[in-house]
Amino acid sequence: MSDEKSNLPAISKQVTELVLAGSLSHAEQAFADAAEQHGDLAVAEVLQNIPPHVTALHMAGFDGGKLSLATLLVPPKAWADSLAYIAATWNEDMIEDDPERIAEGLFNHIHGVVFGTENEERRRELLQEASATDHGATVFAIVFSLAPKEMLEVAGEVISKGQYITAQSSSDSDVVPLAVALAQASEDGWDRALFELFPEFRHSADLADAEYSDDPDDEEPSVLQRSTKELLYRLRKQVPSTRNASARGGRRNLGTGIFS
């Protein structure tokens, strides 16, 4: 075990350098080699120890349709920390022109991590850690902004059924099961994300009573909500500086400049 432990810093350094160089496939291969030689726990420890902005850069290249060892093995706290940096991987032109596409990609990422495991305890820990911070609340609000009417429906179900809520809904939105899973895992995390999306409301019961008009002629919803674009920019402003987190001599040739 001591020999395996001694190899982990070198693996962490290798993965960090590969990710910062943009070689995500080689970084993923390094994870695979580490898993084969030292086991899955070694990969989890590497993911725990590399800087969170590196984890964000690596995992941003994968979604629910692409299998990644990092997706399957990232420790809940490490994943939660990495979400603070994921907005720095987005192209600002795309935020302006196609915010829903970014939100859908973010949904795929979260869905892949949370539902990539059958372990209910790990799933709960992932959701609890990810929703326990301001940036985590914004991340979930971005995803929920794809289906705001359905989120009001879920809010009503949470009020009436509490922890006994199920993922069944009158909507076929893929976002609903994630919202229900979050509400089941963390009441506080659910509330934080909900109020980030609907800033006018301060009590779940009030929010559950709110309704969207079904009249197509209504240009403005009666419920005040932040748009997907607004939430994307809010998360972008929450991206921490990586000056203290980055290793000395780290590369500075990353597109957005936020990681530099």
Side-chain angles (χ1 to χ4, degrees):
M1 177 62 71
S2 60
D3 290 340
E4 293 179 7
K5 289 283 187 180
S6 65
N7 288 328
L8 294 184
I11 298 173
S12 298
K13 183 175 184 294
Q14 177 191 21
V15 168
T16 297
E17 291 178 347
L18 287 169
V19 171
L20 293 180
S23 301
L24 300 188
S25 60
H26 291 92
E28 189 66 20
Q29 185 59 50
F31 282 131
D33 292 343
E36 183 176 352
Q37 295 177 26
H38 308 298
D40 289 351
L41 289 178
V43 176
E45 187 162 342
V46 169
L47 286 163
Q48 185 68 56
N49 292 328
I50 63 178
H53 66 281
V54 175
T55 302
L57 278 171
H58 180 71
M59 297 186 71
F62 299 89
D63 59 29
K66 301 176 184 177
L67 186 63
S68 165
L69 280 176
T71 299
L72 299 175
L73 299 174
V74 63
K77 181 64 164 60
W79 180 54
D81 291 343
S82 74
L83 290 174
Y85 297 89
I86 199 164
T89 67
W90 300 334
N91 185 296
E92 194 159 344
D93 289 340
M94 187 175 290
I95 294 178
E96 281 293 323
D97 299 335
D98 201 356
E100 285 76 19
R101 181 179 175 186
I102 295 179
E104 289 168 358
L106 186 58
F107 167 75
N108 288 334
H109 170 75
I110 294 174
H111 191 279
V113 174
V114 172
F115 293 103
T117 176
E118 297 295 329
N119 186 318
E120 291 293 336
E121 181 62 27
R122 171 173 165 79
R123 186 177 294 177
R124 184 163 52 251
E125 289 178 2
L126 285 163
L127 289 166
Q128 288 173 344
E129 291 286 354
S131 63
T133 62
D134 290 343
H135 65 261
T138 306
V139 165
F140 280 105
I142 290 169
V143 173
F144 294 164
S145 73
L146 294 170
K149 292 176 66 174
E150 288 77 5
M151 293 307 99
L152 293 182
E153 181 181 342
V154 173
E157 291 288 301
V158 170
I159 292 300
S160 63
K161 298 180 180 178
Q163 291 297 309
Y164 297 100
I165 185 176
T166 67
Q168 294 182 349
S169 168
S170 60
S171 168
D172 59 357
S173 170
D174 293 335
V175 179
V176 170
L178 178 62
V180 170
L182 176 59
Q184 291 173 330
S186 172
E187 181 181 353
D188 181 65
W190 163 250
D191 284 344
R192 288 165 62 97
L194 207 57
F195 300 149
E196 181 72 5
L197 177 59
F198 301 108
E200 236 181 21
F201 293 90
R202 289 297 176 265
H203 302 284
S204 294
D206 294 339
L207 188 56
D209 290 336
E211 293 182 356
Y212 270 79
S213 172
D214 292 326
D215 187 346
D217 293 330
D218 285 350
E219 296 182 359
E220 296 292 337
S222 59
V223 180
L224 175 63
Q225 74 162 84
R226 291 189 172 105
S227 68
T228 301
K229 181 187 294 186
E230 182 181 358
L231 288 164
L232 291 173
Y233 277 119
R234 280 176 68 83
L235 185 61
R236 198 171 178 85
K237 291 177 181 178
Q238 293 172 328
V239 175
S241 168
T242 61
R243 293 186 183 278
N244 295 329
S246 301
R248 291 182 180 178
R251 298 174 185 270
R252 299 176 58 88
N253 57 344
L254 295 168
T256 65
I258 292 180
F259 288 136
S260 59

